[in-house]
C-alpha cells in the first residue's frame, strides 16, 4: 500500500456511465431507503458494475484523478499515524465511543476495546464476540451499551440469526459492565420494538436514559408492528443495570410523518428514527428520522417535546444523522442516499443529493425554527465501484468556529468548516482508493471522530485508523480534553 501527499482537492468527473447504466434513475425513484443492510450471519452480496464503469475508473486511476486500488491519499495537513487491522472479529466495523485512554469499536460480530494512550500505537485490550448488527456502541461510567438490529434467536451473545416473523426472535439493547476493560461482563438486555438500529445516551447521576432509534415495521413482524412513529426510552439505574426497562414510547409523528412515495418520489416514508443526537447542556435533541428532520426539547428526557420539524423532498432521500454546532444555533443533517449501498459521490448524482444539509436554529424557546442554509458534499468524485455516502462525524472543538470531521465510507474522511452556514468548505481529507474495480463494494470510514487531539476512524473493511490533523484553524482543539465521548451525546466542550 502506498501513501501520497496531495496539495489540491481534485474535482473529478466520474459517474457519467452510472447514469447510462440506470443507477441515477434507480436512486431517484427508489422507495424507502435503508441504512446499511443487516446481513445476519451472511455477508452482503456485492453488486456488479458495467464494463464501461470499470473502464472509466481504470482510466481515472491512470490519469491520477482518483487513487489506485487501496492507495492512500490525503491533504498535507493530515498524517495517517497507523491502522489496526481486524483481528478476531471479521464483521463490518461500525460506530466508536471513547472513555479516558480507551476507544470502543463496534463491529457486527461484537466489539473491541483499544488502549489509545499512545495514539500512534493502539493496543487491543479485549474483543467480545456478540453478533447482532449493527452493534452501535456507547459508554457511560462502568456501562457499555450495544444495539442489536438484526433478528436473533435470543438475547445471548451465542444467538443465531432468526427470521423477524417468529415471535420468539429478539432485538434490542444489550448492556455490559466494563469496570474491568479486559473482561467486560454482559449484565442486562432490553427488547425494543423493531430492535435498536442506533441509540443515544442522556447520562444522569444515578441513571442513564437511552433513546432507541428503530424503523421499518411490518405487519408480518410480531414485535415490529406499524405504525412505528416514535422511539423507545429506556431507564438504566447505574447501581442496578439489570433493572433496565422501557419507561416510555413517545410518539414523534402523530400525523404519521413523511409519506414518501408516491407523494414524494425518492424520499423515505417515515416509520421511526434512524439516529438522534442530544446536547444535554442545552436540553436539545436533533432527530434524523428517515423522511423528516426534528428539533426537540429533552428537558424531561422521558417525555421529549417536538419544537420544529423539517423536510427536504427535493434533495434528501434518507435523514440519517444529526450534529449540533457548539453554539447550539446550527444543525448538520446527513442524507444517506442509496442506503449506504450505492456509489453516490459522482458527477451523475451531483453536489446536492447525498449531501449534508446545514440548518440554522433561529428564534427562542418553543418558537425556534430550523432554517435551511446550504448543502455540503465532498467534491472528490469516487469510482462507481465505491460506496460513498455522508455518514457519522463530530465537532472539532474550536471557539468561534464551526468545524467538523466526517466519514464518507469510501469517500474517506473530510474535515470541513461551516462557520458560514451558507458557504461551507472542506479544509482537509483522507481517503483510500477503491477496494476493487469490478463490483460495488461497501468499505471505507463508517465513523470519524475527533477525540483528545486526534481523529479516530472505524473503517468498515480495513480496521481502526488514527490520524493527526495539523492546521492553524483546528490546532486550538488539541488543548481540549474529554474524559468521555459518545459523539451522539454532544458535550459542552468549553464548560468550566
Amino acid at each position: 500500500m502506498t501513501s501520497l501527499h496531495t496539495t489540491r482537492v481534485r474535482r473529478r468527473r466520474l459517474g457519467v456511465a452510472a447514469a447510462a447504466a440506470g443507477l441515477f434513475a434507480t436512486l431517484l425513484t427508489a422507495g424507502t431507503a435503508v441504512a446499511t443492510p443487516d446481513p445476519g450471519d451472511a455477508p452482503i452480496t456485492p453488486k456488479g458494475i458495467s464494463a464501461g464503469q470499470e473502464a472509466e475508473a481504470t482510466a481515472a486511476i491512470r490519469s491520477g484523478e482518483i487513487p489506485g486500488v487501496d492507495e492512500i491519499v490525503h491533504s498535507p495537513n493530515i498524517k495517517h499515524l497507523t491502522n489496526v487491522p481486524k483481528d478476531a472479529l471479521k464483521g463490518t466495523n461500525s460506530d466508536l465511543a471513547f472513555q479516558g485512554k480507551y476507544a470502543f469499536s463496534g463491529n457486527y460480530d461484537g466489539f473491541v476495546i483499544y488502549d489509545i494512550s499512545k495514539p500512534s500505537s493502539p493496543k487491543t485490550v479485549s474483543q467480545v464476540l456478540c453478533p447482532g448488527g449493527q452493534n452501535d456502541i456507547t459508554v457511560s461510567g462502568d456501562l457499555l451499551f450495544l444495539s442489536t438490529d438484526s433478528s436473533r434467536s435470543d438475547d445471548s451473545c451465542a444467538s443465531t440469526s432468526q427470521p423477524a416473523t417468529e415471535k420468539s426472535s429478539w432485538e434490542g439493547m444489550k448492556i455490559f459492565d466494563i469496570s474491568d476493560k479486559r473482561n467486560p461482563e454482559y449484565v442486562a438486555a432490553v427488547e425494543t420494538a423493531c430492535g435498536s438500529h442506533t441509540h443515544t445516551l442522556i447520562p444522569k447521576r444515578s441513571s442513564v436514559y437511552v433513546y432507541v432509534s428503530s424503523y421499518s415495521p411490518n405487519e408480518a413482524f410480531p414485535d415490529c408492528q406499524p405504525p412505528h412513529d416514535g422511539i423507545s426510552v429506556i431507564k438504566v439505574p447505574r447501581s442496578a443495570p439489570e433493572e433496565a426497562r422501557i419507561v416510555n414510547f413517545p410518539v414523534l409523528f402523530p400525523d404519521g410523518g413523511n409519506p414518501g412515495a408516491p407523494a414524494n418520489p425518492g424520499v423515505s416514508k417515515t416509520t421511526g428514527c434512524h439516529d438522534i443526537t442530544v446536547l444535554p447542556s442545552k436540553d436539545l435533541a436533533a432527530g434524523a428520522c428517515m423522511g423528516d428532520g426534528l428539533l426537540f426539547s429533552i428537558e424531561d428526557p422521558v417525555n421529549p417535546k417536538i419544537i420544529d420539524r423539517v423536510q427536504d423532498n427535493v434533495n434528501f432521500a434518507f435523514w440519517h444523522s444529526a450534529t449540533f454546532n457548539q453554539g447550539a444555533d446550527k444543525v448538520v443533517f446527513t442524507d444517506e442516499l442509496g442506503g449506504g449501498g450505492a456509489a453516490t459521490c459522482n458527477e451523475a448524482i451531483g453536489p446536492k443529493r447525498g449531501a449534508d444539509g446545514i440548518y440554522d436554529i433561529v428564534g427562542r424557546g418553543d418558537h425556534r425554527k430550523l432554517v435551511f442554509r446550504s448543502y455540503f458534499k465532498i467534491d472528490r468524485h469516487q469510482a462507481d465501484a465505491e460506496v460513498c455516502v455522508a455518514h457519522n462525524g463530530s465537532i472539532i472543538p474550536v471557539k468561534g468556529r464551526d468545524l467538523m470531521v466526517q466519514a464518507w465510507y469510501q469517500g474517506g474522511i473530510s474535515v470541513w468548516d461551516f462557520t458560514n452556514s451558507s458557504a461551507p468548505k472542506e479544509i482537509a481529507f483522507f481517503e483510500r482508493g477503491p477496494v476493487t474495480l469490478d463490483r460495488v463494494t461497501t468499505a471505507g470510514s463508517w465513523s470519524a471522530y475527533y477525540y483528545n487531539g486526534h481523529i479516530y476512524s472505524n473503517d468498515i473493511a480495513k480496521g481502526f485508523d488514527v490520524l493527526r490533523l495539523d492546521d492553524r484553524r483546528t490546532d486550538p482543539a488539541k488543548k481540549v480534553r474529554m474524559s468521555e465521548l459518545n459523539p451522539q451525546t454532544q458535550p459542552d466542550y468549553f464548560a468550566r
Side-chain angles (χ1 to χ4, degrees):
M1 183 182 296
T2 60
S3 178
L4 169 71
H5 282 96
T6 179
T7 57
R8 59 193 176 96
V9 177
R10 294 165 292 191
R11 298 180 182 272
R12 306 172 186 137
R13 297 176 57 83
L14 292 176
V16 177
L23 173 62
F24 190 38
T26 299
L27 289 171
L28 286 176
T29 59
T32 301
V34 296
T36 301
D38 293 321
D41 296 323
I44 298 170
T45 303
K47 305 179 186 71
I49 65 172
S50 69
Q53 290 169 305
E54 185 173 353
E56 183 182 36
T58 300
I61 289 172
R62 288 174 179 168
S63 68
E65 293 179 73
I66 67 171
V69 172
D70 275 345
E71 181 185 9
I72 290 176
V73 297
H74 54 86
S75 54
N77 51 358
I78 277 186
K79 182 176 182 180
H80 185 213
L81 297 183
T82 193
N83 168 264
V84 182
K86 295 179 187 178
D87 187 14
L89 304 183
K90 302 298 186 183
T92 296
N93 274 346
S94 57
D95 214 354
L96 293 168
F98 305 89
Q99 185 181 83
K101 66 177 184 178
Y102 299 103
F104 302 81
S105 166
N107 179 286
Y108 275 49
D109 289 338
F111 65 92
V112 182
I113 302 178
Y114 295 104
D115 181 336
I116 55 170
S117 53
K118 186 177 180 181
S120 61
S121 183
K123 304 297 182 185
T124 300
V125 176
S126 57
Q127 302 184 72
V128 176
L129 178 64
C130 197
Q134 54 188 21
N135 279 339
D136 191 52
I137 191 168
T138 59
V139 294
S140 183
D142 288 337
L143 300 178
L144 179 147
F145 302 84
L146 207 63
S147 282
T148 299
D149 192 32
S150 58
S151 185
R152 312 296 297 179
S153 56
D154 56 51
D155 64 4
S156 75
C157 284
S159 68
T160 57
S161 183
Q162 181 169 290
T165 52
E166 295 188 22
K167 176 62 178 173
S168 63
S169 295
W170 185 92
E171 298 179 71
M173 180 62 56
K174 295 171 181 171
I175 305 170
F176 292 77
D177 183 321
I178 53 168
S179 52
D180 180 355
K181 302 296 188 295
R182 294 187 177 278
N183 296 287
E185 181 184 359
Y186 185 13
V187 295
V190 179
E191 187 170 15
T192 56
C194 301
S196 175
H197 194 74
T198 67
H199 68 272
T200 305
L201 303 187
I202 304 177
K204 301 293 185 181
R205 180 169 295 180
S206 60
S207 299
V208 179
Y209 291 93
V210 185
Y211 284 175
V212 175
S213 296
S214 56
Y215 54 93
S216 295
N218 190 306
E219 291 183 356
F221 299 163
D223 298 319
C224 184
Q225 291 283 300
H228 184 71
D229 48 16
I231 57 174
S232 297
V233 181
I234 299 174
K235 182 179 180 180
V236 185
R238 290 188 184 275
S239 59
E242 67 279 2
E243 297 178 6
R245 62 187 178 90
I246 295 174
V247 292
N248 198 11
F249 187 87
V251 173
L252 303 180
F253 302 97
D255 66 350
N258 197 318
N264 299 315
V267 179
S268 297
K269 173 180 171 61
T270 297
T271 59
C273 288
H274 179 277
D275 207 354
I276 292 169
T277 292
V278 296
L279 193 58
S281 63
K282 305 293 185 182
D283 288 329
L284 279 178
C289 302
M290 304 182 72
D292 295 88
L294 297 181
L295 179 70
F296 54 100
S297 167
I298 56 168
E299 187 173 0
D300 177 358
V302 178
N303 298 286
K305 183 173 67 174
I306 302 299
I307 297 173
D308 194 26
R309 169 179 153 195
V310 290
Q311 297 177 354
D312 180 346
N313 294 320
V314 176
N315 289 311
F316 257 50
F318 187 93
W319 296 67
H320 176 276
S321 55
T323 303
F324 287 99
N325 68 334
Q326 176 63 28
D329 58 6
K330 298 175 188 176
V331 181
V332 174
F333 289 103
T334 69
D335 176 21
E336 195 181 40
L337 177 67
T344 66
C345 297
N346 52 33
E347 187 179 17
I349 302 302
K352 293 183 178 180
R353 291 184 58 77
D356 297 325
I358 304 166
Y359 287 74
D360 284 354
I361 302 174
V362 301
R364 295 185 178 183
D366 291 345
H367 300 289
R368 283 171 286 191
K369 296 291 183 183
L370 291 165
V371 178
F372 174 77
R373 296 302 186 201
S374 66
Y375 296 106
F376 170 78
K377 186 176 182 181
I378 58 173
D379 65 357
R380 291 168 284 108
H381 288 163
Q382 307 298 304
D384 291 323
E386 295 180 278
V387 171
C388 177
V389 69
H391 224 242
N392 297 343
S394 73
I395 292 297
I396 299 176
V398 175
K399 283 186 177 181
R401 301 200 69 83
D402 295 325
L403 305 168
M404 184 173 176
V405 58
Q406 184 179 359
W408 287 80
Y409 274 28
Q410 288 187 266
I413 297 163
S414 177
V415 179
W416 57 291
D417 185 332
F418 62 104
T419 306
N420 181 343
S421 303
S422 299
K425 59 182 179 181
E426 184 175 74
I427 62 175
F429 73 92
F430 168 92
E431 69 167 288
R432 289 182 170 92
V435 174
T436 183
L437 296 179
D438 62 353
R439 61 189 181 279
V440 180
T441 54
T442 300
S445 181
W446 177 293
S447 298
Y449 300 130
Y450 189 92
Y451 177 69
N452 291 354
H454 290 81
I455 293 172
Y456 297 90
S457 167
N458 227 12
D459 189 289
I460 292 167
K462 299 297 183 181
F464 183 65
D465 286 306
V466 185
L467 301 97
R468 192 182 72 217
L469 176 64
D470 296 305
D471 189 289
R472 59 178 177 76
R473 293 163 289 191
T474 60
D475 283 347
K478 295 178 181 179
K479 299 177 182 178
V480 178
R481 286 292 183 267
M482 307 300 298
S483 59
E484 194 169 87
L485 178 64
N486 299 295
Q488 286 74 43
T489 303
Q490 286 189 226
D492 184 344
Y493 287 100
F494 303 112
R496 294 184 181 274

